[in-house]
Amino acid sequence: MKRILLTSLIVISCLLLAACTAVQVNERMFVGLMGIEEDNGLYYLTLQAYSTADTDKDAPVPEYSVYSGTGRSFYEAAEMIMRESGRELFFGHCETVFADGDIIRDKDKLRMFAGERISVGCPVIYSEKPSEEVDRRDENDELMGADVILSALDRYAAEGLYRKVTLRDISAAAETGNTILLPYSEKAIAGSAAVERNGQASLLGLSETAALNLLLGEKGVRMSILGGSMSVSAEDVSVYFMQGEGVGEYSLSIRAKGVLDETGDSDVLSEYRHEAENIISRSAEEICRRAWEEGFLSVVMPKEYSLSEGYENVSFSAQTEIELTSENIS
């Protein structure tokens, strides 16, 4: 009898606990994307969340909603959202953070995320308008859900135009004061941003980012050449710095392999190869020149080659050699 009574109490307790847990889940909003910026001491927080409370059990996909709040701190802005929605925010499943330079470069502000249990492996993307990244709309003015936005990031990554940078990475750069290179978005990946310790950013377009990623050893970078399309992977990048009196010259050598998988205006493989080599070389030279002038050369090449301070004039030359193959032409 005692055993039956004990078993009954255990079953009842489990049911009560399960019911209790269900209520707690229904009172939460699970954050998928977050946009945060700071301006003159005010924080602007925009979230895209999946809420369990208003979701039809038979719905094939989750429904996303956007919430915004402002405050003198991250916590105050989040509290505004919780008061207006009547639900608790849960950041543990946040999959991407869009942030401006003021947030990215401040170690104290970054510690706020750790307090909210946001994973240190969460990707961070630079944006000048983080709120618009989270509240993207399609041609029908319908909200683009987190799954759609994250799927687009995967496509850019597959094309070698998106390099994942995490909360851990930008926190380390903020601690040391080093310039950090991370993806840059304008409602879609638009290139890369080199964000300096003062929060100022040097922006690189998609073609510049493609060449930069090759300099950094990226594989499978997509390029449009002569109306066709190819995939290029860096095999070796070497740098030689020649010193003179007040003058320095960087000489870069890039060896790569490529596959032309879509032909365009030419039927001669060597024409695609020469054009790609010229584009990569010119882009590499321009990127390095900008990096030296704007102070982010250390993120473009190894530190032992980026210490050109004290030189009045620095020049850059690049030579690219691609081993190009194609199943369509020879």
Side-chain angles (χ1 to χ4, degrees), residues 263-290:
T263 57
D265 303 330
S266 175
D267 293 327
V268 181
L269 187 62
S270 61
E271 292 186 5
Y272 291 96
R273 177 170 56 83
H274 289 312
E275 183 67 13
E277 290 172 344
N278 289 334
I279 290 175
I280 293 172
S281 294
R282 290 197 306 267
S283 297
E285 292 170 0
E286 176 61 18
I287 289 168
C288 290
R289 182 191 62 79
R290 280 191 60 191

Side-chain angles (χ1 to χ4, degrees), residues 136 144-159 162 187-189:
R136 295 183 195 176
M144 295 176 63
D147 52 344
V148 176
I149 294 174
L150 295 171
S151 177
L153 293 181
D154 290 339
R155 290 196 298 273
Y156 281 103
E159 295 178 357
Y162 170 81
K187 293 192 175 181
I189 294 299

Side-chain angles (χ1 to χ4, degrees), residues 96-161:
T96 301
V97 174
F98 296 92
D100 67 356
D102 290 329
I103 298 295
I104 289 170
R105 298 308 302 167
D106 194 310
K107 59 185 178 182
D108 294 324
K109 294 170 184 175
L110 294 174
R111 289 194 185 103
M112 300 181 302
F113 300 152
E116 292 299 328
R117 297 182 180 179
I118 298 176
S119 169
V120 294
C122 181
V124 180
I125 299 175
Y126 173 83
S127 173
E128 296 179 334
K129 297 179 180 179
S131 60
E132 294 184 4
E133 300 293 337
V134 176
D135 193 19
R136 295 183 195 176
R137 304 281 166 165
D138 61 19
E139 62 275 7
N140 299 317
D141 199 33
E142 297 289 335
L143 179 67
M144 295 176 63
D147 52 344
V148 176
I149 294 174
L150 295 171
S151 177
L153 293 181
D154 290 339
R155 290 196 298 273
Y156 281 103
E159 295 178 357
L161 298 173

Side-chain angles (χ1 to χ4, degrees), residues 241 247-251 292 313-317:
F241 183 62
V247 177
E249 180 182 354
Y250 284 94
S251 178
W292 180 71
N313 295 297
V314 174
S315 61
F316 299 89
S317 63

Side-chain angles (χ1 to χ4, degrees), residues 24-295:
Q24 291 176 351
V25 168
N26 287 338
E27 290 176 351
R28 282 183 171 182
M29 291 193 301
F30 295 87
V31 177
L33 299 175
M34 179 171 72
I36 183 167
E37 56 194 295
E38 186 267 333
D39 185 26
N40 293 324
L42 272 182
Y43 290 77
Y44 298 85
L45 178 64
T46 305
L47 309 174
Q48 188 177 126
Y50 164 61
S51 174
T52 57
D54 298 329
T55 302
D56 184 351
K57 292 182 180 179
D58 298 325
V61 295
E63 295 182 358
Y64 298 94
S65 298
V66 172
Y67 304 86
S68 298
T70 59
R72 291 165 297 181
S73 69
F74 171 81
Y75 305 109
E76 194 172 287
E79 183 66 29
M80 175 184 287
I81 294 174
M82 287 189 285
R83 284 199 310 270
E84 293 181 352
S85 65
R87 296 178 198 147
E88 179 185 353
L89 291 173
F90 181 70
F91 291 91
H93 296 314
C94 184
E95 296 187 76
T96 301
V97 174
F98 296 92
D100 67 356
D102 290 329
I103 298 295
I104 289 170
R105 298 308 302 167
D106 194 310
K107 59 185 178 182
D108 294 324
K109 294 170 184 175
L110 294 174
R111 289 194 185 103
M112 300 181 302
F113 300 152
E116 292 299 328
R117 297 182 180 179
I118 298 176
S119 169
V120 294
C122 181
V124 180
I125 299 175
Y126 173 83
S127 173
E128 296 179 334
K129 297 179 180 179
S131 60
E132 294 184 4
E133 300 293 337
V134 176
D135 193 19
R136 295 183 195 176
R137 304 281 166 165
D138 61 19
E139 62 275 7
N140 299 317
D141 199 33
E142 297 289 335
L143 179 67
M144 295 176 63
D147 52 344
V148 176
I149 294 174
L150 295 171
S151 177
L153 293 181
D154 290 339
R155 290 196 298 273
Y156 281 103
E159 295 178 357
L161 298 173
Y162 170 81
R163 303 179 81 244
K164 182 179 177 180
V165 176
T166 66
L167 182 57
R168 180 190 292 107
D169 297 326
I170 65 170
S171 297
E175 288 285 349
T176 59
N178 292 332
T179 300
I180 181 72
L181 180 71
L182 68 168
Y184 163 56
S185 182
E186 289 182 345
K187 293 192 175 181
I189 294 299
S192 301
V195 185
E196 301 174 27
R197 67 178 66 191
N198 61 1
Q200 295 298 311
S202 296
L203 304 180
L204 303 172
L206 285 175
S207 59
E208 292 176 307
T209 296
L212 174 59
N213 286 348
L214 285 174
L215 284 176
L216 298 176
E218 193 71 24
K219 306 293 184 182
V221 176
R222 301 296 305 179
M223 297 183 64
S224 296
I225 303 293
L226 298 177
S229 178
M230 68 170 61
S231 173
V232 182
S233 299
E235 296 294 312
D236 180 70
V237 178
S238 59
V239 181
Y240 179 67
F241 183 62
M242 294 171 285
Q243 304 181 51
E245 187 174 346
V247 177
E249 180 182 354
Y250 284 94
S251 178
L252 293 86
S253 176
I254 305 166
R255 289 196 303 105
K257 289 186 177 181
V259 177
L260 180 70
D261 44 28
E262 183 179 343
T263 57
D265 303 330
S266 175
D267 293 327
V268 181
L269 187 62
S270 61
E271 292 186 5
Y272 291 96
R273 177 170 56 83
H274 289 312
E275 183 67 13
E277 290 172 344
N278 289 334
I279 290 175
I280 293 172
S281 294
R282 290 197 306 267
S283 297
E285 292 170 0
E286 176 61 18
I287 289 168
C288 290
R289 182 191 62 79
R290 280 191 60 191
W292 180 71
E293 292 178 350
E294 299 174 24

